Amino acid sequence: MFSASGSFRGFRGASFAQMLNLPPTSGPRESSKHKSTINGPWEGDSVMQGTKSFRPGPFGKSKVSPKVLVEKYKNGETNALSLLHQLAHVLLLHLEIKETVTADVPPPLPVKEEPSISDSYPCRAFYERKSSVNLQIPHAVKDQLSKLINRHQEFSTCGDTTAAFIIKTSTGCEVVALGTGNFNSKEGVSSNGRVVHDSHAVVTARRSLMRYLYRHLLMYFSKNANLTEKSVFTPSANSNLLSLKSGITLHLYVNQLPKGAAQIPTKLRLNPFSITTLQVNSEISLHLLVEGKVLSIFSSTFDNSACETVSMSTTDKITQWQVLGYQGALLSHFIEPVYVQSILVGDSGGTEIRGMEMSVNQRVEGITSQLPMFYCMMRPHISLVPSVVTSNTGSSHLTYGINWSEGDSSVEIVDGLEGKTIEESPFKSGPALASRLCKAAMLHRFRLVAKEAQRQDLVTTSCYRELKMMAKPYQEAKHVLRAYLCQQGFGSWLEKRPDNGNFTA
């Protein structure tokens, strides 16, 4: 969460071409591409150098149906190129696969794609949604959410926007952190760390994940051998930090696309003279959440004098976590970066994940070489899966959100607009109604771990912000990331107010 007076301007570079690996707009370089086109019934004869051409034979249309061919492709019996040739033969179409040389010209820009013959067949995302591997995680999330809601039916409508983190091992998958919610606090920036400013589902689930990681660090540093063995952590062979045990992977489920650049217009394709570079940069740039609205960092409608606080969009935060890790600065004193291996998006019928792939993966492509040791750009596999919840737009608890992590005896209900626990919440930390996800609560857990780990340098440091700044490699990686995003033309990350983390308890 950031003050409205923070810097938000950035450079509008022509970075879209770099992100999609297009040829540069200057210099003598040439790039070679393969271009597939399906035209109408073949007429005449043409000869091109570097062109592979296929046309139907004289024996008429094949008796094999397109549906059978597509099924074989889905089952892995044929590859994509073979499928194209077979479909061309069955449908009596002329197929050319051209190896073209692109001249040194400005890169084409995206436009909405017109319907094509391939639209009538299942796409990769549709196939992945049906795969057995991708069904395990949403089933686990649905079961866990149902268990939590069934105990507290009065909050059954709080799960409209849901996110969860899942630990996967050879024995199965387990939901370890879960969050719901869709609001930012209307309050100004808290100086005592006891207000949760961003209560969007993914942010809530991530803070619940941090509570899970703290719990397992306490288990690891305990004097109990059984608890140490049950911890997900083990000493790293490459550093004096801990890392997740071999065979454990982390995955993120979201039941809808997060706010921000992930929700850019669907079905974009490269085509010359389509839309302006400014429009493209606006879509894939960093975004702000301002009083319930999502604005590009370049938006001229953002009035910083009229807003108490703003925050970066959820999509941008996921982009950051895939580089810095989901553990945050404080936990980086004890563990190596923790990354998500896959992001599964609940499909509500018309979901398109290309914007998510561009935002999370391609905006930071190539940054790893600039990062300090143990940090990298972790490219998650993004796919569609069944949605686990249905919309409850008429809910009276629209501003409420649920948080839970593995080991919690009950859920906590936070009013997103207030940034605090409600009186009726099954779990309350005290009469002040500060959430267990607030910064002050995280600082308390950090001190418990530092004491168990016998880290006197951390125990004697009292200020929250100072402890974060002491995580030098993490801070260096954050600086590199934000400079990289700005250099690539996606805008400048908002800076937090200096007094935001000066509390001690």
Side-chain angles (χ1 to χ4, degrees):
M1 191 60 54
F2 310 89
S3 65
S5 61
S7 171
F8 67 94
R9 290 186 176 87
F11 300 109
R12 306 186 189 187
S15 60
F16 192 74
Q18 297 173 355
M19 185 183 65
L20 295 181
N21 298 321
L22 294 174
T25 57
S26 62
R29 296 177 59 189
E30 292 183 336
S31 64
S32 180
K33 291 174 174 275
H34 286 86
K35 175 182 176 185
S36 297
T37 59
I38 299 181
N39 303 317
W42 183 84
E43 294 180 2
D45 190 17
S46 64
V47 179
M48 289 184 59
Q49 185 177 2
T51 299
K52 297 179 181 179
S53 181
F54 168 84
R55 63 179 172 182
F59 302 107
K61 189 174 180 179
S62 170
K63 295 182 180 180
V64 181
S65 71
K67 184 177 181 180
V68 172
L69 297 177
V70 172
E71 285 298 324
K72 288 184 177 182
Y73 168 69
K74 288 166 57 179
N75 294 332
E77 298 177 28
T78 59
N79 58 38
L81 188 59
S82 298
L83 176 64
L84 283 176
H85 281 286
Q86 293 168 1
L87 286 175
H89 183 78
V90 169
L91 300 174
L92 298 180
L93 300 175
H94 173 57
L95 173 66
E96 286 185 350
I97 300 179
K98 300 178 181 179
E99 186 178 56
T100 61
V101 177
T102 305
D104 187 17
V105 295
L109 297 170
V111 293
K112 288 186 177 179
E113 193 172 50
E114 297 298 327
S116 67
I117 189 171
S118 61
D119 290 340
S120 60
Y121 300 112
C123 63
R124 177 178 67 91
F126 178 84
Y127 171 60
E128 289 179 343
R129 183 171 63 236
K130 297 297 185 181
S131 70
S132 59
V133 175
N134 279 355
L135 289 177
Q136 294 178 17
I137 289 179
H139 283 168
V141 175
K142 186 174 184 178
D143 289 346
Q144 186 59 53
L145 184 61
S146 297
K147 289 177 183 177
L148 298 175
I149 293 297
N150 288 340
R151 298 174 192 166
H152 308 283
Q153 283 293 327
E154 65 271 31
F155 303 114
S156 60
T157 57
C158 293
D160 186 25
T161 305
T162 300
F165 286 92
I166 301 91
I167 289 288
K168 194 170 183 182
T169 65
S170 58
T171 59
C173 55
E174 177 188 11
V175 178
V176 298
L178 185 143
T180 74
N182 205 29
F183 287 88
N184 275 359
S185 169
K186 64 182 180 182
E187 302 294 327
V189 174
S190 169
S191 60
N192 61 11
R194 285 170 168 78
V195 173
V196 177
H197 293 287
D198 190 341
S199 292
H200 286 82
V202 178
V203 178
T204 298
R206 184 252 180 172
R207 295 185 74 83
S208 297
L209 173 68
M210 293 165 70
R211 295 184 65 246
Y212 169 83
L213 297 176
Y214 276 121
R215 183 176 290 114
H216 277 259
L217 281 174
L218 288 172
M219 292 167 60
Y220 178 83
F221 289 118
S222 72
K223 305 301 186 291
N224 188 312
N226 290 332
L227 289 178
T228 301
E229 179 61 29
K230 290 179 181 178
S231 172
V232 296
F233 292 112
T234 188
S236 171
N238 303 312
S239 69
N240 58 354
L241 300 172
L242 302 178
S243 63
L244 292 178
K245 290 179 177 177
S246 177
I248 293 178
T249 56
L250 184 65
H251 306 264
L252 170 61
Y253 170 87
V254 292
N255 81 306
Q256 55 187 258
L257 288 173
K259 292 182 178 181
Q263 298 180 353
I264 66 173
T266 61
K267 291 193 175 181
L268 295 177
R269 65 181 172 86
L270 298 177
N271 202 44
F273 315 114
S274 54
I275 57 179
T276 67
T277 302
L278 177 61
Q279 287 174 299
V280 174
N281 278 354
S282 179
E283 295 293 351
I284 61 175
S285 69
L286 300 175
H287 283 69
L288 308 172
L289 296 180
V290 185
E291 297 178 350
K293 298 178 181 179
V294 183
L295 302 175
S296 167
I297 203 83
F298 300 127
S299 173
S300 60
T301 62
F302 173 55
D303 182 5
N304 61 353
S305 63
C307 305
E308 284 291 330
T309 57
V310 296
S311 68
M312 302 303 298
S313 74
T314 306
T315 299
D316 297 329
K317 290 183 177 182
I318 293 175
T319 303
Q320 174 177 258
W321 296 331
Q322 284 300 130
V323 175
L324 305 183
Y326 286 73
Q327 76 291 334
L330 292 185
L331 280 164
S332 297
H333 286 290
F334 307 108
I335 63 177
E336 293 180 359
V338 175
Y339 297 105
V340 156
Q341 302 296 316
S342 68
I343 299 176
L344 302 111
V345 181
D347 180 23
S348 58
T351 305
E352 169 60 53
I353 59 174
R354 185 173 183 191
M356 187 77 171
E357 292 175 333
M358 292 167 63
S359 304
V360 176
N361 290 335
Q362 296 176 349
R363 286 194 300 187
V364 287
E365 195 77 63
I367 195 176
T368 298
S369 63
Q370 303 178 33
L371 296 169
M373 187 175 295
F374 307 123
Y375 291 88
C376 66
M377 182 266 157
M378 179 60 72
R379 191 183 186 99
H381 181 72
I382 303 173
S383 58
L384 292 178
V385 295
S387 181
V388 304
V389 295
T390 56
S391 178
N392 295 292
T393 54
S395 168
S396 60
H397 297 153
L398 192 61
T399 66
Y400 291 179
I402 298 171
N403 70 75
W404 171 91
S405 68
E406 185 269 327
D408 290 340
S409 58
S410 59
V411 298
E412 180 184 65
I413 310 297
V414 173
D415 188 334
L417 290 181
E418 300 297 329
K420 291 192 174 185
T421 309
I422 66 171
E423 287 283 358
E424 302 80 11
S425 174
F427 175 86
K428 292 190 291 289
S429 58
L433 298 179
S435 170
R436 59 190 177 188
L437 300 185
C438 70
K439 294 177 181 178
M442 294 295 175
L443 177 59
H444 175 70
R445 290 182 181 83
F446 174 85
R447 286 175 172 160
L448 291 176
V449 173
K451 184 178 179 179
E452 290 296 319
Q454 299 180 1
R455 290 286 303 273
Q456 291 302 314
D457 58 323
L458 302 177
V459 173
T460 56
T461 304
S462 58
C463 175
Y464 177 83
R465 187 173 188 274
E466 185 179 352
L467 285 167
K468 292 183 68 173
M469 297 307 295
M470 286 172 62
K472 299 296 185 184
Y474 182 91
Q475 296 299 334
E476 180 186 348
K478 183 170 71 171
H479 175 76
V480 170
L481 169 65
R482 296 181 180 182
Y484 188 86
L485 287 168
C486 189
Q487 291 165 5
Q488 297 300 307
F490 300 119
S492 295
W493 200 280
L494 270 74
E495 296 295 332
K496 295 182 180 179
R497 266 191 353 201
D499 60 345
N500 198 345
N502 288 337
F503 59 91
T504 60

